[in-house]
Amino acid sequence: MMKLFIGNKAYSSWSLRGWLACKLSGLPFEEVVVPLYDEAWEKRREGDEFAPSSGKVPILWDGDIVVWDSLAIIEYLNEMSGGDKFWPTDPGARAMARSMAAEMHSSFAALRREHSMNIRQIYPSRQPSEAVAQDLARIMQLWAEARARHGGSGDFLFGEFGAADVMFAPVVTRFITYQLPVARFAEGYMQAIIAHPWMQEWIGGAQAEDWVIDRFEVPPQSQ
């Protein structure tokens, strides 16, 4: 059975992506939650299980095969599960979905930096910085184009829940946690993401965690 190492469910956005990818694959896997930044963190990340990723999570082991980085995990699981669960079948939709996933992977630094994931909190709304506002506008543009061109009658970016939704799911949680301004059309998509059974399972796991990382618990007013 595959083994997926992830960080705290409350805070680790990349872990959420890797975990959702495993769920989407339909393949059996064991999850191992590793507390981030505790007193054993530095020693733990030097162990053999984390060496290939330099101590970063998520990291997926499939026997002797190791895959790290959420986007690589998505592509590996796409191949292992038959190639029909992660990306749209239409070539144009598939190209757009892959482009959006890659842009999510490499961009939106201001949103990540100023609004770290904390799935257990909802903070009072505040005006986002100019850099975050630019990230928000770009994400709204991407979501709108995907929904208009390829969403069809489904609730997700390309109709059915897929890899693009896996990549943007932690963004949805950030929008909710910090009550960031979104276009009206986006509210339905965000509700569909949060209501998805796998997201509900993850959120329940986050709520059950005892670990608290103080630097991720600073309310926006104090940043």
Side-chain angles (χ1 to χ4, degrees), residues 9-10 16 19 119-120 173 176 193-209:
K9 291 185 174 181
L16 172 55
W19 186 87
I119 220 164
R120 295 187 296 216
T173 74
I176 293 171
I193 287 288
I194 293 299
H196 194 287
W198 298 336
M199 284 296 292
Q200 287 294 301
E201 182 180 347
W202 179 275
I203 292 168
Q207 296 289 358
E209 288 178 345

Side-chain angles (χ1 to χ4, degrees), residues 13 27 69 76 88 130 156 180 191 199 215:
S13 58
L27 300 171
D69 189 286
Y76 177 76
E130 182 178 348
F156 300 100
L180 293 171
Q191 291 171 2
M199 284 296 292
R215 61 173 154 157

Side-chain angles (χ1 to χ4, degrees), residues 47-206:
D48 292 342
E49 289 172 320
F50 293 95
S53 66
S54 296
K56 296 179 180 179
V57 290
I59 183 167
L60 177 70
W61 286 90
D62 186 6
D64 294 332
I65 298 172
V66 60
V67 192
W68 63 97
D69 189 286
S70 297
L71 197 52
I73 289 172
I74 284 173
E75 293 294 4
Y76 177 76
L77 293 173
N78 178 55
E79 294 175 358
M80 297 301 295
S81 60
D84 59 355
K85 294 183 174 68
F86 285 80
W87 304 109
T89 56
D90 175 76
R94 188 164 63 250
M96 186 176 185
R98 281 196 159 114
S99 297
M100 287 176 60
E103 184 170 349
M104 180 65 254
H105 187 267
S106 63
S107 305
F108 311 116
L111 178 64
R112 300 180 201 273
R113 181 177 62 252
E114 299 180 33
H115 300 280
S116 59
M117 189 172 101
N118 187 338
I119 220 164
R120 295 187 296 216
Q121 297 287 356
I122 296 181
Y123 294 118
S125 177
R126 68 165 186 168
Q127 187 70 23
S129 70
E130 182 178 348
V132 170
Q134 292 175 357
D135 283 350
L136 290 170
R138 176 57 177 164
I139 291 169
M140 292 299 101
Q141 179 187 16
L142 291 172
W143 287 4
E145 290 183 6
R147 291 289 302 149
R149 294 171 59 182
H150 304 292
S153 60
D155 293 327
F156 300 100
L157 292 175
F158 293 86
E160 298 297 320
F161 186 86
D165 304 296
V166 167
M167 292 301 291
F168 280 99
V171 173
V172 170
T173 74
R174 283 176 163 95
F175 288 175
I176 293 171
T177 293
Y178 299 96
Q179 299 192 67
L180 293 171
V182 299
R184 179 166 295 182
F185 84 88
E187 295 175 358
Y189 171 63
M190 291 168 58
Q191 291 171 2
I193 287 288
I194 293 299
H196 194 287
W198 298 336
M199 284 296 292
Q200 287 294 301
E201 182 180 347
W202 179 275
I203 292 168

